[in-house]
Amino acid sequence: MSYKVGMVSLGCPKNQVDAEIMLSLLSEGGYELTADEKQADAIIVNTCGFIGDAKKEAIENILALAQLKQTDNLKALIVTGCLAERYRDEILSEMPEVDAVVGIGSNKNICSVVKAAVEGCPYSEFGEKTALLMDHDRILTTPPYSAYLRVADGCDNCCTYCAIPMIRGGYRSRKMEDILAEANTLAQNGAKEIILIAQDTTRYGEDIYNKLMLPQLLDKLCEIDGIKWIRILYTYPDKITDELLHTIKNQPKVLNYLDIPLQHASGDVLSRMNRTGDFDSLTKLIAHIREIIPGITIRTTFIVGFPGETEEDFEQLATFVKNTGFNRMGCFTYSPEEGTVAADMEDQVDEDVKQRRQEILMTEQSVVNEEISADMIGKNVTVLIEGYDSLNKCYYGRSEADAPDIDGKVFIASTKPLSVGDMVEVCVFDVIDYDLLGDLVD
């Protein structure tokens, strides 16, 4: 009997790639995939467990989907991903609605997991983290013109606030030939934009080639026909070399876009985070990047309210944000995670203080953003068309300065019909918040 299986994937693009591999395995195993949760015999919730809000979202999804057992066809609810890996026993013991819990090292067995769960056999399996399947066909859940390409998994940085090394294990690069083979397949299937992801993309290759190999990988990816844009996410500041910067500058397919999660600018806070750098060194780093690649878009994220963060530390961070003028910035309040060093640190910061600091920092960034956005008026940008807004009667897409789901959009007035996946030139005439408005350039 062929069962119908649905999938809900939460969290980051790295988790999304895991889900896409599992979908491919299920299809190969003869299961029918369905997007209609009411028709599914089994639903897999591929969870994120990175911070408190992500855990809350995962639990809410699990409990909501469990209701389908009473009202519809659902026979089995299966939990995979980071929350499953991190809270193995607790999920089965505290959530009777769940029929199977599978760690990331057992994703490759998802077909047998579904069969057992649907047939009424409670199931749990936790293979070695290093057994995570990374080289396999995927069923993309992104639009065909844009795809994530994972270059590694796991992390060795061991930041004191982060549970990722516990959840995903140590850093593991994929072989370059496997990455290139997958990129070729993605391009043949219509991908114009390739987005490189890992817990730390800049460390790529160090573990298997004894050298930072991201520049060489980028050179090889640029040789693939069909790929127009190569975007790099999750770069670690310590590993941003001049070789990498010059590769970005000199390779036209590699977008002038860097995502660098800096996390803070106070040397004292960064030291407690087990990260290097301080206000002066990070200021010099950003200036150096912009000197080599003028006009580059830099995205970053910060954590406020880390244990022991003083008003002076926060003022340093706020000054850094104001002075540096990041093109894109996100800010999170610190979330204590069980099992991490920071969770047991003294001088935990009150929640109301965290929230106030987050609001101040985002307000500071909004002023910076207004100045940067206003400077875009009158300039031409290349836009990857993503759809048509029937309410406002305009097309929309993303420029090279905009990563999917986290950055802004470009809305385009055009009397000429456009298709999803087209790449067009647009002249910007106005700005609304983080989005640009433009006319199609004939």
Side-chain angles (χ1 to χ4, degrees):
M1 177 180 178
S2 175
Y3 297 119
K4 294 182 179 179
V5 184
M7 171 79 78
V8 175
S9 190
L10 307 171
C12 69
K14 299 176 286 292
N15 213 39
Q16 186 174 346
V17 169
D18 286 343
E20 293 171 344
I21 289 174
M22 284 191 282
L23 289 173
S24 179
L25 288 167
L26 289 164
S27 180
E28 292 168 7
Y31 291 91
E32 181 181 344
L33 304 179
T34 178
D36 186 349
E37 295 167 350
K38 294 184 177 182
Q39 296 298 316
D41 297 294
I43 294 178
I44 300 165
V45 185
N46 191 42
T47 59
C48 175
F50 180 48
I51 58 175
D53 286 347
K55 288 183 283 188
K56 181 181 177 182
E57 180 187 23
I59 292 168
E60 288 174 349
N61 271 271
I62 292 166
L63 295 177
L65 290 167
Q67 298 301 312
L68 298 176
K69 289 184 177 181
Q70 310 300 322
T71 60
D72 292 282
N73 194 52
L74 187 65
K75 301 176 183 65
L77 191 56
I78 299 159
V79 178
T80 62
C82 292
L83 193 76
E85 184 68 40
R86 190 173 181 190
Y87 299 103
R88 303 177 173 192
D89 299 329
E90 291 92 332
I91 293 174
L92 279 179
S93 63
E94 298 179 17
M95 302 184 75
E97 300 88 350
V98 175
D99 301 283
V101 182
V102 182
I104 63 170
S106 295
N107 285 355
K108 60 183 180 296
N109 299 326
I110 194 64
C111 290
S112 58
V113 174
V114 170
K115 184 176 187 297
V118 172
E119 294 176 358
C121 301
Y123 194 105
S124 64
E125 183 177 343
F126 300 92
E128 291 294 327
K129 297 175 177 64
T130 53
L132 173 68
L133 194 59
M134 291 197 282
D135 299 310
H136 194 277
D137 291 342
R138 296 153 54 192
I139 292 179
L140 295 187
T141 54
T142 53
Y145 54 79
S146 179
Y148 294 105
L149 182 60
R150 177 165 50 193
V151 302
D153 197 73
C155 189
D156 294 332
N157 291 329
C158 296
C159 301
T160 57
Y161 54 82
C162 184
I164 291 298
M166 292 187 292
I167 297 171
R168 309 292 294 198
Y171 195 85
R172 307 179 301 283
S173 298
R174 296 175 64 192
K175 292 180 180 178
M176 189 177 295
E177 57 265 32
D178 294 331
I179 297 172
L180 295 174
E182 183 176 4
N184 268 291
T185 299
L186 293 170
Q188 290 165 11
N189 291 334
K192 295 181 179 180
E193 178 186 38
I194 297 293
I195 306 168
L196 303 189
I197 57 172
Q199 307 299 335
D200 177 358
T201 51
T202 41
R203 192 179 289 268
Y204 171 70
E206 189 176 47
D207 54 320
I208 58 176
Y209 301 117
N210 297 314
K211 181 184 176 184
L212 298 176
M213 292 290 284
L214 183 57
Q216 288 81 355
L217 176 62
L218 290 169
D219 286 336
K220 292 290 186 182
L221 288 169
C222 288
E223 296 174 5
I224 298 175
D225 291 337
I227 295 177
K228 306 295 184 184
W229 283 357
I230 300 171
R231 188 182 301 277
I232 309 169
L233 299 185
Y234 312 119
T235 64
Y236 199 76
D238 289 8
K239 302 293 183 181
I240 296 176
T241 64
D242 281 3
E243 182 184 15
L244 174 61
L245 294 175
H246 285 291
T247 300
I248 295 171
K249 177 182 180 180
N250 296 327
Q251 284 286 11
K253 289 186 179 182
V254 181
L255 299 180
N256 289 348
Y257 179 106
L258 267 182
D259 169 44
I260 317 171
L262 295 174
Q263 310 304 8
H264 215 281
S266 161
D268 289 342
V269 174
L270 287 166
S271 179
R272 289 197 297 278
M273 289 179 168
N274 195 35
R275 296 173 68 94
T276 59
D278 55 23
F279 186 98
D280 290 338
S281 67
L282 293 178
T283 298
K284 290 176 182 176
L285 172 65
I286 301 303
H288 184 64
I289 293 170
R290 287 173 168 164
E291 180 182 8
I292 292 178
I293 313 173
I296 188 172
T297 296
I298 299 179
R299 155 169 278 282
T300 194
T301 52
F302 295 111
I303 298 172
V304 292
F306 189 78
E309 182 191 57
T310 64
E311 283 296 329
E312 183 181 359
D313 291 326
F314 176 69
E315 287 170 9
Q316 267 196 315
L317 176 58
T319 301
F320 181 68
V321 168
K322 180 179 179 180
N323 292 350
T324 306
F326 291 101
N327 306 81
R328 309 281 188 264
M329 191 205 79
C331 178
F332 300 93
T333 57
Y334 167 71
S335 169
E337 299 301 315
E338 303 96 325
T340 63
V341 173
D344 295 325
M345 285 182 176
E346 297 180 355
D347 299 323
Q348 298 285 330
V349 178
D350 291 341
E351 285 299 321
D352 58 341
V353 175
K354 295 179 189 178
Q355 295 294 333
R356 176 179 62 81
R357 290 175 180 174
Q358 181 189 44
E359 290 170 6
I360 291 171
L361 208 64
M362 292 309 297
T363 299
E364 194 68 67
Q365 176 62 22
S366 69
V367 174
V368 172
N369 183 74
E370 285 180 9
E371 296 172 355
I372 292 174
S373 296
D375 191 52
M376 290 299 298
I377 295 176
K379 294 182 179 178
N380 286 6
V381 294
T382 302
V383 177
L384 177 60
I385 300 297
E386 295 187 302
Y388 183 77
D389 185 334
S390 56
L391 181 65
N392 293 302
K393 295 182 171 54
C394 64
Y395 293 93
Y396 62 89
R398 289 181 291 108
S399 73
E400 75 169 70
D402 303 304
D405 299 325
I406 54 175
D407 294 326
K409 300 281 188 185
V410 183
F411 292 89
I412 306 134
S414 173
T415 56
K416 176 183 175 182
L418 302 174
S419 299
V420 169
D422 284 352
M423 301 184 84
V424 299
E425 287 296 305
V426 173
C427 181
V428 177
F429 67 78
D430 203 357
V431 176
I432 299 178
D433 296 326
Y434 292 92
D435 300 322
L436 304 179
L437 310 181
D439 290 316
L440 186 69
V441 176
D442 294 327

